[in-house]
Amino acid sequence: MTKFVAALYKAYDAIDASMFEINPVLKTSDDKIIAVDAKVDLDENALYRHPDYAAMRDLAEEDPTEVEAGEHNLNYVKLDGNVGCMVNGAGLAMATMDIIKLAGGEPANFLDVGGTANAARVEQAFRIILKDPNVKAILVNIFGGIVRCDRVAQGIVDAYKSIGEIKVPIIIRLQGTNAVEAKKIIDESGLKVFSAIQLIEAADLVAGVLKK
């Protein structure tokens, strides 16, 4: 068993894996240890060191919307809910999904736009979320740390106008640097969007639009 575990760790380290799950492990009557089944996840950030593994990727086996999002450097995972999410940061995304469930909805996706939430990036994120016919509302939850909230707000306004009419309600919660100025930009834009600064405000707005 010691030899098996040592070989397992060597393989895990050599291919830059993020997970090795061996289940079940079998010990034969002649004392051989066999991995009956295995699940392996590779760290995508390390694939440049393993072009042979990257070449095995079959995009036809993946969700086409997730593939498209990846082409635009958006971290997107499709879920089965009815409220689309657009956030910056994985931790904030988890909190956003919790808020949606608290409001009586279900998250339709995980979408992280990263630290550069400019108009072009926000527009592409909106387009990807709107590909899901189950989406009944969109919650944009951005923390302005690296990027200022007023710049994000202007990016959202520009993206909305570029797309044209968006038929589902949009709730925008911007917190951080220049959050008050950002709320003013959203409120005075003339667009059919709801703005909030506090997370609980965003939750109440999500609950309100889902009841309509």
Side-chain angles (χ1 to χ4, degrees):
M1 190 66 181
T2 301
K3 183 179 179 181
F4 176 85
V5 173
L8 181 65
Y9 177 78
K10 183 178 179 181
Y12 173 88
D13 182 63
I15 67 171
D16 291 300
S18 58
M19 183 192 77
F20 258 42
E21 179 184 337
I22 311 299
N23 183 21
V25 174
L26 175 68
K27 181 179 180 182
T28 65
S29 58
D30 55 352
D31 291 331
K32 290 181 180 179
I33 304 297
I34 300 174
V36 180
D37 188 29
K39 294 180 177 64
V40 178
D41 283 345
L42 304 181
D43 184 349
E44 291 185 5
N45 295 313
L47 278 178
Y48 70 94
R49 291 199 289 257
H50 307 282
D52 50 336
Y53 295 150
M56 295 180 186
R57 184 180 181 186
D58 184 359
L59 297 180
E61 294 295 322
E62 301 181 32
D63 183 282
T65 310
E66 293 182 9
V67 173
E68 181 183 353
E71 292 172 351
H72 294 279
N73 295 316
L74 295 170
N75 187 1
Y76 173 88
V77 178
K78 188 179 182 307
L79 302 173
D80 296 327
N82 57 355
V83 180
C85 310
M86 187 192 306
V87 302
N88 62 336
L92 187 60
M94 301 305 291
T96 302
M97 290 192 284
D98 286 343
I99 275 293
I100 288 170
K101 292 182 72 69
L102 182 65
E106 290 290 337
N109 64 270
F110 172 106
L111 194 154
D112 181 1
V113 295
T116 54
N118 55 31
R121 199 171 179 83
V122 169
E123 178 180 342
Q124 193 57 49
F126 272 132
R127 292 187 183 279
I128 286 171
I129 292 172
L130 291 168
K131 286 179 180 290
D132 185 349
N134 295 321
V135 168
K136 306 303 180 187
I138 298 174
L139 173 56
V140 180
N141 191 8
I142 301 290
F143 176 75
I146 298 174
V147 60
R148 286 174 16 200
C149 288
D150 55 332
R151 290 184 178 177
V152 176
Q154 191 59 55
I156 291 171
V157 171
D158 293 344
Y160 192 110
K161 290 180 178 178
S162 177
I163 294 172
E165 183 182 3
I166 297 178
K167 295 182 179 180
V168 300
I170 298 177
I171 298 96
I172 300 171
R173 184 254 181 176
L174 299 172
Q175 183 60 275
T177 307
N178 290 356
V180 174
E181 292 84 349
K183 189 175 189 304
K184 184 178 180 182
I185 290 171
I186 297 297
D187 290 343
E188 296 180 354
S189 67
L191 304 179
K192 296 179 181 179
V193 296
F194 305 90
S195 65
I197 293 179
Q198 298 300 322
L199 200 52
I200 190 62
E201 293 178 72
D204 290 341
L205 287 169
V206 169
V209 299
L210 289 178
K211 290 177 181 177
K212 293 182 180 180

